Amino acid sequence: MTLVFGGAFNPPTLAHRNIILHLQEKFPNQTIVVLPVGDDYRKPDLVHFYHRYAMLERMVSDLNHVVVSKLESLRPYGGTLKSLDELSQTYPKVHFVIGSDNLMNFRTWINYETLLAQYPFIVIHRHGFSKEQIERSMESLKHTFIYIPFDEDISSTKVRQNINQAKDALLPSVYQYIIQNHLYQETTHV
């Protein structure tokens, strides 16, 4: 089994790392592929892929069976289905890891029906999103969900808003990388 954990990772936080650790506990010795979106993914304040990749490498450097993928930086963004199809050519039994909050706007994703039908999802179940609510919203669509409870109140958005106040939400090596490369710092105009 291969667990594909996608996201912007802008920046990668301790919550991201703890999700990986939680997955390793639930699915021992399985490969986890961390899949950061490429630069052409339209998201505000997205720092260059090079930096997000470097921060992810630091975040998982001490973890076994974890690979950070460059796949989405090598081609134009084509959606999660395209990425999982490509990863399936290298890795066996691909499962997609997604936060329950991301399922609420899932119908806006590229080829979401095929994605749901083709790949089992491991849903990181967060507070405020009931399984029943999720299942009701997906009842007309073929899908396989495995729910993993996890709730940590760390947000990449909040970290970006004040990097120094939020440094406890980051691995020290990631924080140092951010400071050394002047990422997520406001510029003031005189």
Side-chain angles (χ1 to χ4, degrees), residues 10-81:
N10 188 38
T13 67
L14 285 176
H16 294 124
R17 180 179 167 88
N18 290 339
I19 287 170
I20 292 168
L21 293 171
H22 198 58
L23 290 168
Q24 287 184 321
E25 184 180 303
K26 296 287 182 189
F27 306 97
N29 300 316
Q30 302 305 312
T31 300
I32 298 173
V33 177
V34 181
L35 182 67
V37 297
D39 287 333
D40 65 339
Y41 184 78
R42 303 289 180 239
K43 189 167 185 162
D45 305 322
L46 190 64
V47 301
H48 193 277
F49 180 88
Y50 171 85
H51 292 301
R52 290 180 290 116
Y53 181 86
M55 289 184 284
L56 282 166
E57 284 281 302
R58 283 162 177 72
M59 186 183 80
V60 302
S61 65
D62 63 327
L63 302 179
N64 294 323
H65 308 292
V66 179
V67 176
V68 181
S69 174
K70 291 183 176 179
L71 175 67
E72 291 197 0
S73 73
L74 304 175
R75 57 158 170 74
Y77 182 72
T80 302
L81 177 62

Side-chain angles (χ1 to χ4, degrees), residues 86-145:
E86 289 179 40
L87 289 169
S88 291
Q89 295 173 19
T90 304
Y91 297 99
K93 297 180 187 171
V94 167
H95 289 57
F96 183 59
V97 178
I98 187 170
S100 55
D101 53 329
N102 287 319
L103 283 174
M104 300 320 293
N105 69 349
F106 192 72
R107 291 176 188 264
T108 63
W109 289 32
I110 299 169
N111 298 315
Y112 70 92
E113 290 173 318
T114 306
L115 176 58
L116 276 174
Q118 260 184 250
Y119 294 97
F121 279 36
I122 296 174
V123 179
I124 305 300
H125 191 244
R126 300 183 68 173
H127 179 72
F129 299 91
S130 74
K131 291 180 192 177
E132 295 76 20
Q133 179 185 19
I134 292 168
E135 289 296 332
R136 261 194 318 277
S137 72
M138 299 289 175
E139 68 187 352
S140 65
L141 301 168
K142 181 181 180 217
H143 67 280
T144 303
F145 289 168

